[in-house]
């Protein structure tokens, strides 16, 4: 279904509208606070924050942030494999179920691929994300950063071989460590 929106990178001028959108989509302030915290953290990836713009009105938003998969090696050594984490994703309630959420996810994952990212992680609706190439992460030996519903914890390979010999525990950008946002 066509959405007639411009899908583009978020700018600082969009911040108030992004806050309002997140408040409407989630029915609370937490996700809006989370995005503000992310934007001020070192995990923020400005090239991977995307909005759906309908004639100057922000009706959708998604972002990927820096994550790592931390693998314990013999001899107390650690290997950190870079990944991106998808969260949050929001479409204004008046525009849901018209394909916009899917368009935003595809766009931000395409941008990540172009930038050379190889692995994407998400904690989200298990009925929604498999259509974009996400699979249960536990079956790949990739553990979540904290206890979660196992079918909601998913991983996608963004480049061929991106998940080969990758296992370990995911670490998200610092704002996600605040239990308020789990
Ligand atoms: C989830 C969300 C982003 C989807 O956006 P959207 O524009 O409605 O999505 P699309 O139109 O591209 O796709 C619709 C599909 O998403 C599914 N979907 C929507 N909300 C869902 C939910 N809470 N759980 C599972 N699937 C959901 C619909 O059932 C539909 O599935 P179908 O294609 O098999 O019929 C939107 O509903 C939203 O903003 N929800 C509130 C915030 C939220 O839950 N964010 C996601 C956190 S993981």
């Amino acid at each position: 279904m066509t959405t007639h929106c411009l899908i583009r990178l978020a700018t600082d001028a969009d911040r108030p509208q992004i806050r309002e959108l997140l408040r409407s989509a989630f029915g609370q302030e937490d996700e809006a606070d989370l995005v503000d915290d992310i934007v001020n953290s070192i995990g923020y990836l400005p090239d991977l924050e995307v909005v759906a713009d309908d004639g100057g009105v922000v009706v959708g938003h998604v972002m990927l942030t820096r994550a790592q998969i931390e693998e314990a090696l013999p001899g107390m050594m650690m290997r950190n494999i870079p990944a991106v984490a998808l969260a949050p994703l929001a479409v204004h309630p008046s525009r849901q179920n018209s394909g916009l959420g899917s368009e935003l996810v595809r766009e931000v994952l395409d941008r990540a691929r172009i930038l050379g990212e190889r692995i994407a992680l998400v904690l989200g609706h298990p009925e929604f994300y498999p259509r974009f190439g996400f699979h249960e992460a536990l079956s790949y030996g990739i553990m979540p950063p904290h206890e979660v519903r196992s079918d909601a914890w998913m991983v996608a390979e963004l480049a061929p071989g991106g998940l080969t010999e990758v296992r370990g525990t995911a670490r998200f950008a610092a704002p996600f460590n605040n239990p308020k946002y789990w």
Side-chain angles (χ1 to χ4, degrees), residues 29-84:
E29 299 281 332
D30 287 1
E31 288 74 13
D33 293 345
L34 171 63
V35 168
D36 285 348
D37 287 354
I38 289 169
V39 168
N40 292 310
S41 80
I42 56 167
Y44 178 51
L45 299 173
D47 292 328
L48 294 173
E49 183 185 18
V50 170
V51 294
D53 174 336
D54 186 359
V57 179
V58 173
V59 293
H61 172 265
V62 66
M63 70 199 303
L64 298 176
T65 54
R66 174 56 58 219
Q68 270 95 30
I69 298 168
E70 205 176 77
E71 183 185 5
L73 299 174
M76 309 271 285
M77 303 269 282
M78 284 289 189
R79 177 167 83 120
N80 277 320
I81 302 139
V84 285

Side-chain angles (χ1 to χ4, degrees), residues 1 8 10 12 18 26 30 38 42-43 58 74 78 80-81 106 108 114 121 126-127 144 147 161 167-168 180:
M1 207 179 292
R8 61 164 175 83
D12 282 347
I18 291 171
F26 288 95
D30 287 1
I38 289 169
I42 56 167
V58 173
M78 284 289 189
N80 277 320
I81 302 139
R106 292 202 175 94
V108 83
I114 289 166
L121 301 162
E127 306 82 9
E147 205 173 311
R167 53 181 53 243
K180 171 182 164 187

Side-chain angles (χ1 to χ4, degrees), residues 120-131 133-140 142-144 146-156:
L121 301 162
V122 72
L123 181 60
H125 305 307
E127 306 82 9
F128 184 64
Y129 288 101
R131 67 191 73 182
F134 285 90
H135 306 276
E136 269 196 44
L138 291 183
S139 64
Y140 288 84
I142 298 172
M143 305 300 153
H146 51 83
E147 205 173 311
V148 296
R149 233 181 84 179
S150 64
D151 61 345
W153 172 236
M154 291 171 271
V155 65

Side-chain angles (χ1 to χ4, degrees), residues 25-26 89-91 96-102 124-125 127-129 131:
F26 288 95
L89 164 69
V91 170
Q96 290 175 6
N97 288 305
S98 63
L100 201 46
S102 301
H125 305 307
E127 306 82 9
F128 184 64
Y129 288 101
R131 67 191 73 182

